[in-house]
Amino acid sequence: MKLKQLLVTAACTALLATTVQAEGVKVGMITTLSGGGAGLGIDVRDGFMLAVEQAGRSDLEVVIEDDQRKPDVAVQLADKMIQSEKVDVLTGIIWSNLAMAVVPATVAQNKFYLSPNAGPSALAGKGCHKNYFNVAWQNDNLHEAAGAYANTAGLGNSFILAPNYPAGKDALTGYKRFYEGALAGELYTKLGQTDYASEIAQIRASGADSVYFFLPGGMGISFLKQYADSGVDLPVVGPAFSFDQGILQAVGAAALGVRNTSQWSKDIDNATNAAFVESFAAKYGRLPSLYASQGFDTANLLISAMDKADVADQDAFRAALQTADFASTRGDFAFGPNNHPIQDIYVREVIQEGDVFTNKIISVGLEDRGDAYAADCKM
Amino acid sequence: MSWILLVEQALNGLQFGVMLFLMAAGLTLIFGVMGLINLAHGSLYMVGAFAAAAVAAATGSFVLALIASLAAAALAGVLIEATIIRRLYDRDHLDQVLATFALILIFSEGTRWAFGSFPLFLDRPEALSGTVSLPFGIEYSRYRLALIGVGLAVAAGLFWMIAKTRVGIRIRAGENDREMIAALGVDISRLYTLVFALGAALAGLAGALIGAIQSVQVGMGEPVLILAFVVIVIGGIGSVQGALVGAILVGLTDTLGGFLLPKAFALFLSPAAATSVGSSLASMSIYILMAGVLLVRPKGLFGGA
């Protein structure tokens, strides 16, 4: 892996040496490619590079580095990319705490940052910036849709839990913003916790009528397997992060029937999405996740802006980005006043197609949802 | 809060504790006999889980998966002992930490290379699914109850082996005076390999047993490794009894702390603040326990004078 990155970087550097005079855009991608959270970064990278390959442009160059999910490493990489690689645009960060460390400094140095995943509330409201675009969602969005879904599904006594870190608190805040019922209990678990026996025992004793949880990655796998085996039979609702394509196979039948909210699904009916799912599966031999779709959309947004303006003319390039004039895998897509998406958020159900566990859309959770922080944003 | 919930939480703590013991026993034996700090112990846990997941996917048998986890982790243990670890016994602890940390990176990226970056699927056997009814109306997960049984059985076997068998006598002798038993004609390097393989196999078994209810993924061993170190420091480095007592103490403190502290704070704080403060304090509780034990007994509960 390290060797491969070295080769990619070396190849890019060599390319730079020969094409130094060419006008074009150089993109720095900092994402998580090793350690526990690597599946997310790999999906974003693969989705992004698929779009770049399909565009086939010689004036677009991408440098990829691994942040190891460590904020200090991400900051060093960003410095290196801005100062010695002279990139025009940065992208790729998965985790909100890393985004908080990198994004403000990047946009302050007059570079563009396009986020393919993390959307912390601090960067959507008072901390927004004209050069920061989020192509995925504001962190609260999927949880808000889950709260709205709980109302329509007639759930009135939820037990809610999330890890004890900023995105976990954003999650429960987002859920409670739309959810109108009572709370049977509210728990913060340890970040990276793998055993949920204690929490499940409390859910059993609480008299709740449903469970809402935000436990991304491996935490969600552990929770669901243990929950399915606990004899507690309450309906579960969650955001797509615990039910994306990368981890459903590891959860197995325990996730069947679970309702989850997402801005993307592989069965959204439009030509771009159908072509994306098919070409991604053909190239990488697996189905894309929502992270892959976000990487793909990020690259296509960038390419659409390159068609309209030169990156050296920052105002024109920014205006081109703002129009979001690209074919999104999500169908309708627009930027709000704080450069965060306005989009539909769907409710999906986990189903089994042959041997593969995947999702299908059952309804629209929130239509044309912006975010709760746009009003605080003064650019 | 009913007392049934409290009993259930205590069982959860016990289950967590006996699984930690499987990790900590190997770690403490290896330190006690060879004087080696093995940071790569968590990687052996991961090797066991991945071997079990691969065999379970191929054969569908959980028993074969467990055997595979023992064999694969023991084999990996023998391999790294013979090629790398053996050169570290006479070095100081910093060299050992550096070399075994490098092993973590090699194992992690090697596993990623072989199995990919996405978590694997490993499920508990069908016969152990669902719950059992215990006396007084307690419903408890059958698989977790089985884990407690297996953990306690392994602990009993280990104590019997150390107390009654020839290998056990040599292990105890090795802990007391390495040079002397070498001088008495015991093949010390074979003994070392054996102890290392035993420790590795226990870690691999823990990985497979836990992997069935958690996620089998790269890097799964490191959080457990940290807890296992806390356990052996509390129990006294080198002591297997200490590892058992320490593991159960840590398991109970962690589970009951996470459950009771938020409730205790809710008596005089608003619910949201109580959850937040209680959870934060709960995640510190085992380290506070460790600091407390070290204040009273600087060498741990069962550490030598």
Side-chain angles (χ1 to χ4, degrees):
Chain A
M1 187 54 85
K2 285 272 176 333
L3 182 68
K4 205 164 125 199
Q5 279 158 28
L6 204 68
L7 288 176
V8 170
T9 319
C12 292
T13 320
L15 203 67
L16 178 75
T18 53
T19 60
V20 72
Q21 295 304 323
E23 288 294 316
V25 173
K26 188 165 183 181
V27 178
M29 175 179 281
I30 302 171
T31 195
T32 307
L33 301 171
S34 64
L40 288 68
I42 287 169
D43 269 1
V44 163
R45 178 196 67 190
D46 288 351
F48 192 94
M49 293 315 288
L50 181 68
V52 169
E53 187 190 300
Q54 287 176 354
R57 297 180 69 119
S58 58
D59 59 346
L60 174 59
E61 187 188 331
V62 186
V63 186
I64 303 171
E65 293 273 6
D66 175 19
D67 61 31
Q68 304 162 34
R69 199 177 176 171
K70 292 178 184 150
D72 50 326
V73 175
V75 169
Q76 283 170 20
L77 288 173
D79 284 345
K80 187 184 115 191
M81 285 184 168
I82 292 170
Q83 282 158 22
S84 53
E85 301 273 359
K86 310 262 185 250
V87 299
D88 307 296
V89 177
L90 274 176
T91 184
I93 292 176
I94 302 295
W95 310 96
S96 290
N97 51 339
L98 273 67
M100 290 305 298
V102 167
V103 173
T106 302
V107 293
Q109 294 176 68
N110 282 321
K111 303 293 174 193
F112 287 100
Y113 185 86
L114 307 180
S115 176
N117 199 60
S121 49
L123 296 179
K126 285 205 181 69
C128 68
H129 192 278
K130 58 186 181 179
N131 279 0
Y132 167 67
F133 288 82
N134 188 306
V135 199
W137 21 253
Q138 198 281 313
N139 276 357
D140 302 9
N141 284 159
L142 303 195
H143 312 289
E144 292 170 343
Y149 167 75
N151 297 335
T152 55
L155 304 175
N157 196 21
S158 286
F159 194 103
I160 61 178
L161 67 156
N164 194 13
Y165 82 122
K169 291 181 177 167
D170 277 1
L172 297 191
T173 310
Y175 185 77
K176 288 187 280 188
R177 186 174 293 133
F178 277 75
Y179 174 65
E180 290 159 359
L183 289 180
E186 180 174 356
L187 275 185
Y188 287 110
T189 62
K190 267 173 274 184
L191 189 60
Q193 183 173 330
T194 49
D195 198 292
Y196 294 93
S198 170
E199 286 74 14
I200 290 167
Q202 293 180 62
I203 291 170
R204 191 202 311 277
S206 70
D209 70 352
S210 58
V211 178
Y212 179 74
F213 75 92
F214 165 59
L215 296 168
M219 293 184 274
I221 300 176
S222 302
F223 177 83
L224 271 174
K225 282 165 86 172
Q226 294 163 26
Y227 184 81
D229 213 26
S230 68
V232 181
D233 208 16
L234 305 171
V236 172
V237 183
F241 313 117
S242 302
F243 305 94
D244 73 84
Q245 207 60 47
I247 68 172
L248 272 182
Q249 316 317 318
V251 179
L256 275 180
V258 170
R259 304 293 159 90
N260 63 100
T261 49
S262 177
Q263 86 290 359
W264 177 83
S265 182
K266 81 174 172 40
D267 57 343
I268 293 178
D269 192 12
N270 67 59
T272 311
N273 196 36
F276 162 66
V277 173
E278 194 191 328
S279 56
F280 189 94
K283 182 161 168 62
Y284 300 109
R286 63 178 195 272
L287 286 171
S289 66
L290 83 160
Y291 307 110
S293 79
Q294 291 160 194
F296 188 81
D297 279 355
T298 305
N300 279 329
L301 169 72
L302 178 76
I303 291 162
S304 76
M306 285 170 64
D307 284 336
K308 290 184 173 176
D310 182 357
V311 73
D313 181 358
Q314 288 230 331
D315 290 330
F317 197 76
R318 186 181 311 117
L321 284 171
Q322 252 151 4
T323 58
D325 187 13
F326 70 105
S328 167
T329 55
R330 294 164 238 182
D332 290 345
F333 181 98
F335 281 117
N338 56 349
N339 294 344
H340 280 61
I342 296 177
Q343 59 191 343
D344 293 345
I345 300 178
Y346 300 94
V347 180
R348 313 185 297 184
E349 181 180 342
V350 179
I351 56 160
Q352 189 168 10
E353 282 178 356
D355 289 343
V356 181
F357 294 97
T358 185
N359 284 287
K360 80 163 198 276
I361 293 178
I362 53 169
S363 64
V364 179
L366 289 173
E367 235 170 278
D368 291 334
R369 174 69 188 155
D371 62 85
Y373 306 97
D376 297 334
C377 171
K378 308 270 184 288
M379 290 202 205
Chain B
M1 180 186 73
S2 67
W3 68 272
I4 289 183
L5 183 57
L6 196 67
V7 172
E8 194 179 339
Q9 298 292 26
L11 280 173
N12 287 333
L14 183 65
Q15 180 259 311
F16 184 36
V18 296
M19 286 298 113
L20 272 181
F21 169 72
L22 292 186
M23 276 293 280
L27 206 57
T28 205
L29 271 180
I30 290 167
F31 190 88
V33 178
M34 289 98 109
L36 176 94
I37 296 180
N38 180 24
L39 291 186
H41 208 64
S43 301
L44 297 166
Y45 173 87
M46 177 181 75
V47 166
F50 272 87
V55 169
T59 65
S61 160
F62 192 69
V63 175
L64 285 181
L66 286 186
I67 294 171
S69 74
L70 283 167
L75 197 71
V78 169
L79 203 69
I80 60 171
E81 202 275 340
T83 53
I84 295 161
I85 305 280
R86 191 169 285 179
R87 294 158 216 283
L88 298 171
Y89 295 138
D90 298 331
R91 302 287 200 88
D92 65 62
H93 289 325
L94 184 63
D95 290 354
Q96 297 173 352
V97 165
L98 276 175
T100 53
F101 184 72
L103 281 175
I104 294 183
L105 301 179
I106 293 168
F107 270 109
S108 292
E109 295 310 311
T111 311
R112 186 192 314 289
W113 175 76
F115 291 93
S117 294
F118 297 95
L120 295 192
F121 178 70
L122 174 67
D123 204 3
R124 79 267 173 291
E126 206 46 53
L128 293 174
S129 65
T131 59
V132 286
S133 300
L134 300 178
F136 310 110
I138 299 169
E139 287 274 306
Y140 197 66
S141 157
R142 198 184 298 265
Y143 186 73
R144 285 182 191 274
L145 206 59
L147 288 187
I148 296 178
V150 171
L152 291 178
V154 169
L158 207 56
F159 285 124
W160 173 79
M161 190 195 86
I162 287 173
K164 302 281 183 198
T165 65
R166 182 161 283 272
V167 176
I169 293 169
R170 287 184 177 167
I171 289 175
R172 278 183 291 147
E175 282 181 7
N176 282 329
D177 198 331
R178 244 171 283 169
E179 285 80 14
M180 185 55 84
I181 69 159
L184 287 175
V186 174
D187 184 348
I188 194 87
S189 94
R190 235 178 61 204
L191 178 69
Y192 283 3
T193 310
L194 185 75
V195 170
F196 202 88
L198 176 69
L202 289 178
L205 177 68
L209 289 172
I210 289 297
I213 49 170
Q214 297 182 1
S215 69
V216 178
Q217 60 181 354
V218 174
M220 64 188 284
E222 277 67 61
V224 191
L225 177 77
I226 295 171
L227 289 176
F229 270 111
V230 173
V231 165
I232 67 170
V233 168
I234 289 177
I237 290 172
S239 160
V240 178
Q241 286 122 299
L244 182 62
V245 174
I248 291 174
L249 264 181
V250 166
L252 287 174
T253 308
D254 190 63
T255 308
L256 292 178
F259 167 57
L260 292 174
L261 281 173
K263 294 205 183 306
F265 280 101
L267 296 176
F268 53 91
L269 284 176
S270 73
T275 324
S276 175
V277 175
S279 314
S280 306
L281 204 61
S283 40
M284 289 184 245
S285 58
I286 57 168
Y287 303 100
I288 297 172
L289 171 74
M290 177 168 79
V293 168
L294 290 184
L295 270 180
V296 184
R297 296 191 64 109
K299 294 218 157 188
L301 294 175
F302 289 77

